Amino acid sequence: MIDVVNPTTEEVIGTVRAGTPGDVDAAVTRAVAAFPAWSATSLETRLAVVRGVADALAARTDSLAATMTAEMGTPITFASRVQVPNPVGIARGVADVLAGGYFDGEEIGNSLVLREPIGVVAAITPWNFPLQQMIAKVVPALAAGNVVVLKPSELAPMTADLLASVLTSVLADAGAPEGVFSVVHGTGPVVGEALAVHPMVDMVSFTGSTRAGRRVAALAAETVKRVALELGGKSANVVLDDADLTRAVKIGVANAFMNNGQACSAWTRLLVPASLHDQALEIAVAAASKYEPGDPALPTTRIGPAVSAAQRDRVVGYIRQGISEGAKLALGGPERPTDRGFHVAPTVFGSVLPDMTIAQEEIFGPVLSVLPYTDDDDAVRIANSTIYGLGGAVFSADPARALSIAKRLRTGQVDINGAAFNTNAPFGGYRQSGTGREFGRHGLDEFTELKSIQH
């Protein structure tokens, strides 16, 4: 059994059975048997399933939010406003694409080009946005006519069980055969790797660390599976010299600390003109000081704990590394801010150099690095100087100038002047932030094969 630990109280709040390679094989075998019937279902049936899932999740917002807060520590306000609504929006976006003629086919000369399901999809999902990443994989995969075996993170398995109950009910109402969707709990080295190497799995869609993503890709390559990877990030918030500095920095701090700093696309590097560095650092410290670690179940809490003791220790190790390499510790530090819970003190570093460890590696905690730059070209160079390329931001009083800089950033998403997140736009990264895209039409593309029929 695997214990589920509340990171705020450090108490065990549940258990799940640790799956085995045998469990994986049984689930995949059932999925293979279900694929012919499910892939042949009508578009109307699959559309009803997608819409049914979206409606069911929306109706269960409170219980889903409370569960995520309990098992991985996300603040309840963030869970209610983001961790549930985003998945609902993603599912409804997929429904809109289906209804818009996605599977109608395309005529190219004398060829009819069709999109068809891949087959058995293994979805391996993380703990930090558990519901969102499960929906981003499972819903488009099912909508395209695939069958799915889900391995959720062992740190957030209860959210997966809530989703499984929703999907089981909706699929049963649609008359889906047994095995179309199943969950196998367990660890990455056991269940995840068994899925990646299974000869009857046709695709692996993975979200997690870049290190684990490399392992998944290597294992999947043995059977030439389709692989989609959404991995780490070290996103830069580029504040230009004509921007509203206070607004840009405050929004940047909020993004860096969202979900307790445990977000792959968080803007963890704040790039400011060298002449404005000290002013920007002062604003950042003032803003970050309002993020007082507390009980994430309280609606007033803005930042909760790290997901586990191991994750807390990892983040603290990076903070110590930043200090030892000479970055200016302006707020926070490695000391525990609370007596109980896996909390990390919200931390801000100034005078960070681009080659420092804290400016290059993904920390996955509430740690912000402020880096000075000399001119626009230098800002772009620094922003593009890591192995990652997932998210980013640009702030400027001149939208055309901001767009010009955004186009030069080697990253999958860029927000200009705090623009809203879009659950229908493609989400994914360049370089070692991954391969493939999620959400909307582009997310559906990942779960389909292309067929050309000449006539």
Side-chain angles (χ1 to χ4, degrees):
M1 303 299 291
I2 296 174
D3 287 339
V4 183
V5 177
N6 182 313
T8 305
T9 65
E10 303 185 35
E11 297 172 349
V12 175
I13 56 174
T15 57
V16 293
R17 180 176 172 273
T20 66
D23 296 323
V24 169
D25 185 63
V28 172
T29 299
R30 289 194 301 270
V32 170
F35 177 67
W38 179 248
S39 62
T41 54
S42 67
L43 179 64
E44 289 73 23
T45 297
R46 284 179 275 135
L47 185 57
V49 166
V50 173
R51 287 175 171 161
V53 170
D55 291 344
L57 294 180
R60 292 164 174 77
T61 294
D62 291 346
S63 60
L64 286 163
T67 299
M68 285 185 276
T69 295
E71 67 181 352
M72 44 79 65
T74 190
I76 189 65
T77 302
F78 185 79
S80 300
R81 294 178 181 176
V82 177
Q83 293 269 21
V84 180
N86 272 8
V88 172
I90 292 166
R92 288 179 174 157
V94 170
D96 291 342
V97 174
L98 286 185
Y102 179 81
F103 286 103
D104 288 351
E106 178 186 5
E107 292 284 353
I108 302 178
N110 68 320
S111 299
L112 173 62
V113 180
L114 301 174
R115 287 196 174 273
E116 297 182 345
I118 293 174
V120 179
V121 173
I124 304 175
T125 58
W127 49 263
N128 63 322
F129 282 82
L131 185 63
Q132 175 173 306
Q133 292 310 115
M134 287 187 286
I135 290 297
K137 301 179 189 304
V138 173
V139 164
L142 293 175
N146 299 289
V147 288
V148 180
V149 178
L150 169 66
K151 192 216 87 71
S153 169
E154 66 272 23
L155 296 176
M158 297 189 299
T159 302
D161 285 343
L162 288 176
L163 174 60
S165 68
V166 167
L167 277 164
T168 298
S169 175
V170 173
L171 287 168
D173 290 344
E178 181 185 1
V180 167
F181 169 79
S182 59
V183 177
V184 181
H185 289 293
T187 65
V190 177
V191 174
E193 294 200 4
L195 284 166
V197 301
H198 200 290
M200 290 190 291
V201 169
D202 301 292
M203 176 184 178
V204 179
S205 180
F206 172 86
T207 297
S209 70
T210 294
R211 177 193 56 79
R214 293 189 195 107
R215 176 66 175 166
V216 167
L219 294 172
E222 292 297 320
T223 46
V224 198
K225 292 175 172 43
R226 174 82 65 85
V227 177
L229 303 172
E230 198 268 281
L231 308 177
K234 194 66 182 176
S235 302
N237 176 14
V238 180
V239 180
L240 301 181
D241 55 15
D242 63 347
D244 180 334
L245 186 65
T246 298
R247 179 175 181 272
V249 172
K250 285 183 176 180
I251 292 175
V253 168
N255 183 284
F257 290 175
M258 72 172 171
N259 202 40
N260 308 337
Q262 298 173 145
C264 52
S265 59
W267 308 338
T268 52
R269 294 181 295 153
L270 174 61
L271 276 56
V272 297
S275 62
L276 298 176
H277 171 274
D278 292 351
Q279 184 181 351
L281 184 61
E282 182 180 345
I283 297 168
V285 167
S289 297
K290 297 179 181 179
Y291 287 78
E292 184 175 347
D295 183 352
L298 300 176
T300 54
T301 297
R302 300 178 72 178
I303 193 163
V307 71
S308 65
Q311 182 63 21
R312 175 199 61 202
D313 294 345
R314 180 177 185 272
V315 175
V316 168
Y318 274 110
I319 294 172
R320 296 188 190 279
Q321 184 84 6
I323 295 170
S324 69
E325 291 185 9
K328 177 183 178 181
L329 180 64
L331 180 73
E335 291 76 22
R336 291 188 64 172
T338 58
D339 293 332
R340 187 176 66 165
F342 307 133
H343 297 275
V344 176
T347 298
V348 178
F349 282 103
S351 301
V352 177
L353 302 179
D355 59 351
M356 287 181 175
T357 302
I358 58 172
Q360 287 291 316
E361 298 185 15
E362 184 177 46
I363 297 173
F364 229 61
V367 181
L368 176 66
S369 296
V370 182
L371 293 84
Y373 66 82
T374 57
D375 56 25
D376 288 5
D377 289 342
D378 190 42
V380 171
R381 179 189 64 79
I382 294 171
N384 291 337
S385 67
T386 74
I387 63 171
Y388 300 107
L390 186 58
V394 181
F395 283 84
S396 172
D398 181 351
R401 184 185 177 200
L403 180 60
S404 176
I405 296 294
K407 289 179 178 179
R408 297 173 63 190
L409 301 183
R410 299 287 295 163
T411 183
Q413 298 82 38
V414 183
D415 300 341
I416 292 178
N417 292 330
F421 188 67
N422 184 352
T423 56
N424 292 322
F427 182 87
Y430 289 19
R431 296 175 291 178
Q432 293 192 40
S433 283
T435 59
R437 293 294 182 268
E438 295 183 322
F439 308 167
R441 177 175 64 82
H442 299 279
L444 265 170
D445 289 349
E446 297 295 329
F447 296 98
T448 60
E449 295 279 18
L450 284 170
K451 175 181 285 182
S452 297
I453 301 175
Q454 284 61 247
H455 57 92

